[in-house]
Amino acid sequence: MKIPTTLKHKPVVVSENYEQVDGRFARNTDAKGLSLGLAQWNDRGKIDISAKVWRYTGEKWSRQSEELPLHRVLDLSILICRAMAHFREAYRYEHLYDPQEPVIDRVGLQGDAMTVAICTDNERINEDIKLFYQALSDDDELIGERLRTLSRILKDMGY
């Protein structure tokens, strides 16, 4: 499906067949495309680029389409990787984490650090973390394939 070019987000690099590869939602998803382009929130003289997931309801482009600055997309990737690393060893804890030390990591960024932690403010964390752990395990093949691909591309780029 062709991504619209007449809306505020201006696509530059696109994946217009995303519905074919959208993880376990492949071929049955409203996420029809991905794009990198000029952000919809740009003001005169200020240009930001963003990543966008284009969702289509079957009748129109959805207002639930998401647009994120590229650094946030990468920050989410970092969060996913640190969470996955934690859950590889989480079986050692009764509740899949140490309630006395819920911080998983502090990832240095821009002279500070992004804290990665279990959300102990969630009153149902002991139940929710088990569901999360199971879902992460169920999707391990899908996520692993993408991480291996990302790793290969990053290595090819010299990272």
Side-chain angles (χ1 to χ4, degrees):
M1 173 170 266
K2 289 287 188 190
I3 290 172
T5 58
T6 57
L7 302 177
K8 289 186 179 183
H9 172 89
K10 301 299 183 197
V12 175
V13 179
V14 299
S15 174
E16 293 181 327
N17 67 332
Y18 187 68
E19 70 267 19
Q20 301 299 316
V21 296
D22 188 16
R24 58 188 163 98
F25 306 112
R27 292 173 284 290
N28 188 25
T29 182
D30 67 345
K32 302 299 182 186
L34 303 176
S35 67
L36 303 177
L38 303 181
Q40 66 185 14
W41 60 80
N42 282 331
D43 293 325
R44 269 195 195 285
K46 181 175 181 253
I47 301 297
D48 288 325
I49 58 176
S50 65
K52 186 160 185 162
V53 177
W54 293 88
R55 297 171 70 172
Y56 190 76
T57 66
E59 298 177 15
K60 62 180 181 173
W61 290 102
S62 173
R63 291 178 185 224
Q64 291 183 334
S65 296
E66 300 96 355
E67 183 177 24
L68 293 170
L70 295 187
H71 73 275
R72 289 186 189 153
V73 174
L74 295 171
D75 291 346
L76 284 169
S77 299
I78 292 166
L79 187 65
I80 291 167
C81 290
R82 292 308 297 134
M84 289 183 70
H86 168 79
F87 282 104
R88 285 188 174 154
E89 301 295 322
Y91 68 89
R92 298 181 300 148
Y93 302 107
E94 178 183 358
H95 298 291
L96 300 175
Y97 75 103
D98 180 355
Q100 303 305 312
E101 187 53 48
V103 173
I104 295 170
D105 197 4
R106 299 242 321 135
V107 180
L109 296 169
Q110 292 179 248
D112 201 341
M114 177 173 71
T115 302
V116 179
I118 301 300
C119 183
T120 56
D121 291 340
N122 176 347
E123 61 188 41
R124 299 178 69 165
I125 189 61
N126 290 340
E127 177 184 336
D128 291 350
I129 198 169
K130 288 176 185 169
L131 295 170
F132 183 92
Y133 181 64
Q134 184 60 54
L136 195 60
S137 177
D138 292 348
D139 286 347
D140 186 59
E141 186 176 338
L142 291 170
I143 296 168
E145 176 185 29
R146 285 154 171 82
L147 288 174
R148 284 186 296 280
T149 300
L150 181 59
S151 175
R152 187 182 71 249
I153 292 168
L154 287 169
K155 286 176 187 169
D156 289 348
M157 293 173 62
Y159 290 101

